[in-house]
Each structure stands twice: as structure tokens, then as C-alpha cells.
């Protein structure tokens, strides 16, 4: 029997596809530090767990396709804290930011339309694009420029009649880059000039370092009709497994059409929305402390990586990822070696090879994405493993004399 051509074009996620090697390593008694996935070790706020425990309905019923009213009504106050004016009827609750991205692609693009995106990009976007049969058109951002926005002319050059939208993610996964107000304005002006949409994925909004202010795409009312903002509770409140996100748009036509998809999938998870509503009552101090913790981890891992011979690493300004270029010919081989053939004092690390975070063939082959979601003690152990692992790989696999 034949599978669809569409599914053959999907990738197995570079964040998850090496997991069998990690499981084998664990079965051999090796402790694996998981730097491959953005799963924080930070506790979920207690009132979120309490809300789940206290869920007292006798039937877990279908809810509204738009999301629970209490959650939608509470979100404007959250946005207001950032000076953003968002009404409850300007957002739909989704099953994670992931579903919001899929809804945006399906709503704004026809099959074979194009979305322009800086690469490296959040790799799952590739699968969302394949499901919507949308082609991603990359603009390469470079490690030596700290992965800042490439010149706006590079985006303009790629606009065709098939361009439906530009998609950026800020703070960025995987690079940690945070787009400035001026960069967002350039993108918005370009979107206006060519009458296309700008989708901005802001699921890491809270995590910006070095005292820098975050600028949301929702802060530009004059462009509001062409903006779609992707949001999520996953990382903000360390509740990734709850699968609650939002799609925000001030364009009523966009929302009315997204609602058709939302109705087809019936509703977002009910108990998780109750948990998300409770998350919005989290003391601001929680987010402040979490951000300070990630900033500490960022400083620690960047300093550690920069000391390892041959490693080039971007300094992320936000989120909790970085892209590092390694002194190897193939980072995926190295990542597998670390799990299959290496351990240091019974420990090793799992990293995500970066090639599939790029659309352009051959780019990112020497790069890995590291998620600094573990505490500094674990990061210190991880750094030791990476340093020793690189040496072992270069000697044993590449045959270098070090
Ligand atoms: C940039 C970005 N967008 C969206 C998502 C999806 O998040 P979720 O579906 O858990 O809300 C992630 C998850 O890692 C992400 O990194």
C-alpha cells in the first residue's frame, strides 16, 4: 500500500529522532543530560497543579472551539502588563503554539504558496509547512552576525506572487536572537508594501536578557490587520505537556477563518485550559526569577563553550537555546557518537543536530542546538562531556592527532 507523497517529504524531528540512542545509553546505565529539547527543569507554578487536582466536573465535556471564556477573558490583562492592547475576541485558544502555527499556515496560504523565513528556524515549522503544502523560502542568518535579521533587501528579493507571509520567531528558537523594534518595523513595512502577512512567534516573550526590552509585534497598531502573533503557555509557565497556546490577530477576517479550523478540531484540551487560567494568576516574581535563572545558565554555558577549542557559539539574547558550531564534519554523527560510543564517568549529553533547522541544503552541518534548560551543576557536567566527547570523536572517528 502507498503512503502519501506528502508524508514522505516530512522529516523525523532532529530534536527527537536520536531518542532511541539515548534510551539505549540509559539502559546501559549511562546518565544522559538532555540538551536537545526545550523541556525546562523549572517547576510549574503550584496553583496550576492545584487547579488540575481541584477539577471537579463530573463530565469532561467538549468546550468552545474558541477556547474557554474565562481563559480568553483573562488574557487581555496579561497582555496589558506589556502595554499591549489585545481584546478577548482578538484571540483564539489553541492546542499549543504548534496548532496556532498550523492554523496560521492553513489560513493565510494556499498549497504551493510561500512563506519567507530566516534560517536556522524552529525545525517543526518544516512539518507544519508540509502539512499545509506551503513552501518555506529561507533567508540565511549567520552565526558571525549573532543571527541578527539579514538585510531587509534579502527578504524583498524573495517576495513573489506566491508569498503569503513572512514568519519570524522572537526571541528566537534556535538562535536566541531577539528582533529589535527597528527590525520588526522593517518587516512590517515590507509586509505592507507587498500586502502580505507577518507572523511572529513570541512563545519566549518573557525570556530576554541583558536588561533588553522585548518588542512585541502587537505593539504596532498601524499594521495590526496584517499581523498574526503565536503564543503559548508551554515555556512561560513550564507547562509544556499541557498543550495550551493562542493565536492573536486584530484582523477579524483572519480569526473568522481560523475558527473554521478550530471548529473542525472541536476544542482545545479542557482541563489544561483550567490550568492555563490558573497560570495567569502567577505572581510576576515567578517569571522574574525564571528569567534570572535562564540568564545565569546562558552566561554559564556560553562561557564554558567558548573555552572549548574549536567551538564557535552565538551569544543568545533570549529564549533558552543557542547554536554552536563544532570542530566536526557532521554534527549529527557526533551527536550519535555521544550517545552510542561515548561516556565520561558514566555520563553523556544529547544535543540536536542543526542541519534540519535550515532549509538550504548543506547549511548547519557542523552546528548543534543546545537548550540550556538544566541547572548549572548539570550544565557543568554537560560541558565536561562535550569537551571530552569532541576530543574522543576527533581522535577516534576523524583520526585527528590531538
Ligand atoms: C518557537 C516555538 N514555537 C512554537 C513552539 C510550540 O510550542 P507549544 O506547542 O508547546 O506551545 C515551540 C516549542 O518548542 C517553539 O520553540
Amino acid at each position: 500500500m502507498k503512503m502519501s507523497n506528502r508524508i514522505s517529504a516530512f522529516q523525523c524531528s532532529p530534536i527527537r529522532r536520536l531518542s532511541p540512542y539515548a534510551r539505549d545509553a540509559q539502559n546501559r546505565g549511562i546518565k544522559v543530560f538532555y540538551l536537545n529539547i526545550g523541556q525546562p527543569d523549572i517547576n510549574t507554578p503550584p496553583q496550576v497543579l492545584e487547579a488540575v487536582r481541584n477539577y471537579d466536573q463530573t463530565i469532561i465535556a467538549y468546550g468552545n472551539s474558541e477556547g474557554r471564556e474565562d481563559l480568553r477573558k483573562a488574557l487581555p490583562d496579561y497582555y496589558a502588563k506589556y502595554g499591549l492592547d489585545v481584546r478577548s475576541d482578538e484571540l483564539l485558544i489553541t492546542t499549543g503554539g504548534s496548532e496556532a502555527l498550523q492554523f496560521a499556515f492553513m489560513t493565510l496560504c494556499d498549497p504551493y504558496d510561500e512563506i519567507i523565513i530566516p534560517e536556522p528556524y524552529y525545525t517543526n515549522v518544516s512539518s507544519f509547512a508540509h502539512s499545509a503544502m506551503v513552501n518555506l523560502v529561507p533567508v540565511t542568518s549567520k552565526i558571525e552576525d549573532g543571527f541578527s535579521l539579514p538585510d531587509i533587501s534579502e527578504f524583498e528579493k524573495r517576495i513573489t506572487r506566491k508569498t503569503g507571509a513572512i514568519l519570524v520567531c522572537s526571541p528566537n528558537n534556535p538562535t536566541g536572537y531577539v528582533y529589535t523594534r527597528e527590525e520588526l518595523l522593517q518587516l512590517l513595512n515590507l509586509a505592507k508594501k507587498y500586502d502580505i502577512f507577518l507572523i511572529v512567534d513570541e512563545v519566549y516573550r518573557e525570556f530576554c536578557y541583558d536588561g533588553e526590552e522585548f518588542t512585541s509585534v502587537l505593539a504596532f497598531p498601524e499594521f495590526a490587520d496584517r499581523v498574526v502573533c503565536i503564543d503559548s503557555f508551554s515555556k512561560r509557565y513550564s507547562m509544556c505537556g499541557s498543550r495550551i497556546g493562542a493565536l492573536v490577530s486584530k484582523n477579524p477576517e483572519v480569526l473568522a477563518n481560523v475558527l473554521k479550523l478550530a471548529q473542525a478540531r472541536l476544542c482545545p484540551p479542557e482541563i489544561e485550559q483550567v490550568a492555563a487560567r490558573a497560570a495567569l494568576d502567577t505572581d510576576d516574581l515567578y517569571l522574574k526569577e525564571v528569567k534570572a535563572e535562564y540568564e545565569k545558565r546562558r552566561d554559564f554555558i556560553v562561557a564554558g563553550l567558548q573555552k572549548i577549542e574549536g567551538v564557535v557559539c552565538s551569544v543568545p539574547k533570549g529564549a533558552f537555546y543557542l547554536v554552536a558550531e563544532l570542530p566536526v564534519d557532521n554534527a549529527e554523527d557526533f551527536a550519535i557518537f555521544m550517545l552510542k560510543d561515548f561516556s565520561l564517568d558514566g555520563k553523556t549529553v544529547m544535543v540536536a543536530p542543526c542541519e534540519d533547522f535550515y532549509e538550504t541544503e548543506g547549511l548547519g552541518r557542523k552546528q548543534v542546538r543546545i537548550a540550556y534548560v538544566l541547572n548549572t551543576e548539570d550544565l557543568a557536567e554537560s560541558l565536561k562531556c562535550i569537551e571530552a566527547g569532541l576530543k574522543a570523536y576527533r581522535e577516534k572517528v576523524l583520526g585527528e592527532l590531538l
Side-chain angles (χ1 to χ4, degrees):
M1 274 181 295
K2 177 184 163 301
M3 304 282 148
S4 72
N5 291 328
R6 185 199 294 110
I7 199 69
S8 317
F10 275 56
Q11 62 178 13
C12 288
S13 167
I15 301 170
R16 290 172 175 254
R17 69 174 170 240
L18 305 187
S19 298
Y21 294 106
R23 270 195 299 276
D24 280 358
Q26 274 182 333
N27 290 342
R28 282 182 275 118
I30 291 171
K31 160 123 187 95
V32 180
F33 295 107
Y34 289 96
L35 304 180
N36 59 306
I37 190 163
Q39 173 52 61
D41 66 350
I42 306 273
N43 280 347
T44 309
Q47 81 276 8
V48 174
L49 302 167
E50 205 52 33
V52 176
R53 278 187 213 107
N54 291 342
Y55 186 78
D56 64 356
Q57 301 298 306
T58 48
I59 300 171
I60 305 172
Y62 286 129
N64 293 334
S65 298
E66 295 89 335
R68 277 178 67 104
E69 276 307 298
D70 59 346
L71 179 56
R72 290 177 77 211
K73 290 222 166 93
L75 271 163
D77 284 344
Y78 160 78
Y79 289 110
K81 283 189 194 166
Y82 296 88
L84 304 172
D85 165 36
V86 176
R87 295 197 322 250
S88 59
D89 62 353
E90 293 170 338
L91 60 93
L92 296 177
I93 306 300
T94 54
T95 308
S98 306
E99 189 182 60
L101 280 165
Q102 294 173 67
F103 282 178
F105 286 14
M106 294 286 285
T107 303
L108 307 181
C109 296
D110 276 316
Y112 312 112
D113 277 356
E114 295 170 351
I115 291 183
I116 303 176
I117 186 167
E119 64 179 359
Y121 59 83
Y122 172 49
T123 179
N124 286 0
V125 165
S126 159
S127 296
F128 305 150
H130 279 303
S131 9
M133 298 184 73
V134 165
N135 294 323
L136 294 178
V137 177
V139 181
T140 308
S141 66
K142 301 211 172 93
I143 197 164
E144 55 269 30
D145 302 331
F147 294 109
S148 58
L149 188 75
D151 199 280
I152 197 73
S153 63
E154 293 298 321
F155 287 81
E156 187 158 15
K157 264 189 227 162
R158 288 162 175 79
I159 293 180
T160 68
R161 253 188 253 128
K162 289 178 181 247
T163 310
I166 297 171
L167 167 62
V168 296
C169 171
S170 181
N172 191 277
N173 174 6
T175 67
Y177 188 74
V178 180
Y179 292 94
T180 63
R181 190 179 179 81
E182 290 66 38
E183 287 172 331
L184 281 175
L185 249 181
Q186 287 181 340
L187 289 165
L188 285 163
N189 277 317
L190 191 66
K192 186 169 179 189
K193 183 170 169 189
Y194 290 95
D195 202 21
I196 57 177
F197 286 92
L198 179 65
I199 309 169
V200 184
D201 181 336
E202 297 188 359
V203 308
Y204 299 97
R205 183 181 297 120
E206 271 74 15
F207 309 131
C208 287
Y209 312 130
D210 307 318
E212 294 225 357
E213 283 283 303
F214 170 71
T215 306
S216 169
V217 73
L218 297 169
F220 300 88
E222 63 278 30
F223 297 96
D225 60 331
R226 63 187 63 256
V227 162
V228 172
C229 180
I230 307 298
D231 216 340
S232 169
F233 284 73
S234 289
K235 318 288 173 163
R236 189 169 302 147
Y237 302 108
S238 199
M239 48 191 289
C240 298
S242 282
R243 317 302 311 124
I244 300 296
L247 182 147
V248 183
S249 173
K250 286 183 174 279
N251 183 326
E253 211 185 328
V254 169
L255 278 194
N257 281 301
V258 170
L259 184 59
K260 295 177 194 166
L261 293 165
Q263 287 175 345
R265 67 78 163 105
L266 306 176
C267 68
E270 164 73 6
I271 302 175
E272 278 76 3
Q273 287 185 86
V274 173
R277 172 64 194 85
L280 292 177
D281 293 333
T282 303
D283 196 303
D284 291 345
L285 189 62
Y286 171 90
L287 287 174
K288 233 171 123 182
E289 285 176 355
V290 173
K291 173 173 139 163
E293 176 63 24
Y294 284 136
E295 188 159 359
K296 184 173 88 183
R297 295 174 181 190
R298 189 261 332 234
D299 293 344
F300 185 82
I301 189 127
V302 168
L305 284 170
Q306 285 176 340
K307 281 192 205 128
I308 302 177
E309 199 205 323
V311 174
V312 178
C313 131
S314 69
V315 182
K317 294 165 182 277
F320 40 62
Y321 307 95
L322 61 81
V323 172
E325 191 145 311
L326 306 181
V328 298
D329 52 350
N330 185 322
E332 178 143 356
D333 269 3
F334 169 70
I336 295 171
F337 169 85
M338 290 299 282
L339 296 168
K340 219 169 124 244
D341 304 309
F342 174 84
S343 64
L344 180 71
D345 302 329
K347 297 168 199 149
T348 193
V349 300
M350 180 170 178
V351 291
C354 254
E355 196 171 356
D356 288 342
F357 289 68
Y358 286 83
E359 197 61 21
T360 307
E361 191 78 20
L363 290 186
R365 197 162 283 167
K366 296 179 174 188
Q367 296 176 352
V368 291
R369 186 193 74 167
I370 289 177
Y372 44 97
V373 286
L374 305 181
N375 61 54
T376 44
E377 291 76 41
D378 287 351
L379 289 180
E381 295 291 323
S382 306
L383 281 164
K384 279 188 210 156
C385 289
I386 293 172
E387 182 164 23
L390 275 172
K391 194 161 179 291
Y393 180 79
R394 290 170 69 188
E395 282 174 353
K396 286 191 194 145
V397 181
L398 302 183
E400 291 180 23
L401 291 172
L402 296 177

